Amino acid sequence: MKGLLPEEELRGDIKEMKKRIILLGPPGAGKGTLAEMLQEREGIPHVSTGDLLREEVKKGTDLGKRALRYMEKGALVPDKLVVQLLKKNLSQDSFFVLDGFPRNLQQAKILEEEKMRIDAVVNLRVNDETIIFRLSGRRICRSCGKIYHLVNFPPKKEGICDICGGILYQREDDREEVIKERLKVYREETQDLVKFYKEKGILEEIDANGEAEEIYASLVEVLKRNGKEREN
Ligand code: AMP
């Protein structure tokens, strides 16, 4: 697992930024895209529980088989399984941008129990039409995981990854009926988290309806502001 990076490997503006970050927001808010941008540009490792779970499913592990039953329906995988996976991939001294965890209040409390220091929680606010448009057009490279969008960010050659030539696929749970269930679950389970982190005073909110570059700029601004405030 990509953990703490030596100082000389940190890129861009990261030195002034917060480095242990949680991205919150509904499916399709752009958590994965923004986390990938932070990883590529600043060197902060992207840790996605959805990706970790899909990897287990792909490998056919016991955990993957158990998780798949929930993922197919758009339901949450039991905390115990997700935490088991996360523990293998996070350490007390790593930098990270966490995408897809915590998903409910219990999971946030688990992070606290594990004494995981969190520098910033950024909530991505986005409306439902944007979500449906983004998710139904999302395509992912089967080999390298690069995310595309049929309209907003199409590959140069249809169905093929620009970076590695891998085949693009649509996630099973990006079908419209499953999207609706995932949004329902998000509303029921995840929104309490916003309140929880607000009360802790580490919540930031940004408008995530626009273009990726625009949203990324707001995100970096918030993380830098936060980083500076902490130094002072
Ligand atoms: P994502 O890629 O974040 O949209 O996650 C895809 C699916 O993986 C979700 O619909 C859940 O079934 C499962 N999943 C991902 N993260 C978690 C989590 N923190 N807790 C429970 N289930 C999760």
Side-chain angles (χ1 to χ4, degrees):
M1 165 64 200
K2 310 143 276 182
L4 185 70
L5 295 173
E7 202 66 13
E8 62 272 19
E9 280 185 34
L10 299 178
R11 295 192 284 275
D13 291 326
I14 187 185
K15 286 177 192 146
E16 315 171 21
M17 280 165 45
K18 293 213 163 189
K19 303 169 189 76
R20 295 163 66 90
I21 303 152
I22 290 176
L23 294 182
L24 289 186
K31 300 185 295 292
T33 302
L34 292 167
E36 281 297 305
M37 290 166 93
L38 277 174
Q39 175 165 288
E40 275 169 29
R41 298 180 189 187
E42 310 293 341
I44 311 178
H46 171 198
V47 180
S48 150
T49 44
D51 285 351
L52 293 173
L53 286 164
R54 280 184 289 277
E55 196 56 37
E56 294 293 309
V57 171
K58 203 164 129 190
K59 287 193 286 192
T61 63
D62 192 42
L63 193 152
K65 284 183 194 141
R66 286 158 71 195
L68 182 62
R69 282 182 277 159
Y70 301 90
M71 295 170 78
E72 279 174 335
K73 290 184 286 186
L76 290 187
V77 172
D79 294 346
K80 214 171 138 220
L81 296 184
V82 185
V83 169
Q84 192 184 329
L85 202 55
L86 197 63
K87 274 189 171 172
K88 284 200 283 182
N89 287 277
L90 280 192
S91 69
Q92 290 294 351
D93 58 0
S94 54
F95 302 151
F96 51 78
V97 47
L98 203 47
D99 147 21
F101 193 96
R103 255 332 206 262
N104 56 34
L105 216 44
Q106 295 90 285
Q107 294 184 355
K109 292 190 173 150
I110 292 170
L111 281 182
E112 286 208 322
E113 279 159 24
E114 297 290 327
K115 306 221 175 339
M116 272 290 164
R117 195 194 82 228
I118 303 296
D119 297 329
V121 179
V122 183
N123 184 34
L124 308 174
R125 276 186 285 104
V126 64
N127 57 41
D128 279 9
E129 302 86 85
T130 309
I131 293 171
I132 307 274
F133 170 77
R134 283 185 187 162
L135 291 184
S136 52
R138 175 159 73 180
R139 296 293 181 274
I140 303 164
C141 173
R142 216 175 264 294
S143 308
C144 73
K146 176 93 187 152
I147 305 167
Y148 294 86
H149 188 276
L150 294 182
V151 179
N152 282 349
F153 184 55
K156 291 194 183 83
K157 195 165 164 213
E158 197 185 323
I160 305 290
C161 177
D162 295 348
I163 312 286
C164 73
I167 305 289
L168 304 188
Y169 77 103
Q170 179 174 33
R171 269 171 54 173
E172 274 294 309
D173 59 357
D174 279 348
R175 287 175 294 116
E176 196 157 340
E177 355 36 293
V178 190
I179 295 175
K180 289 196 177 130
E181 179 58 23
R182 287 162 68 203
L183 282 175
K184 185 168 152 263
V185 169
Y186 170 76
R187 292 201 181 97
E188 287 166 1
E189 302 255 6
T190 318
Q191 279 178 342
D192 284 349
L193 284 175
V194 171
K195 195 164 158 250
F196 176 78
Y197 286 119
K198 200 177 251 172
E199 282 165 7
K200 289 199 162 299
I202 54 171
L203 187 84
E204 292 286 344
E205 302 212 69
I206 60 176
D207 178 357
N209 284 296
E211 298 294 319
E213 285 297 341
E214 211 181 341
I215 305 166
Y216 182 76
S218 319
L219 175 63
V220 169
E221 193 185 315
V222 154
L223 294 174
K224 279 167 87 173
R225 189 174 73 222
N226 257 315
K228 287 233 166 70
E229 276 163 14
R230 231 159 54 95
E231 276 163 27
N232 296 336

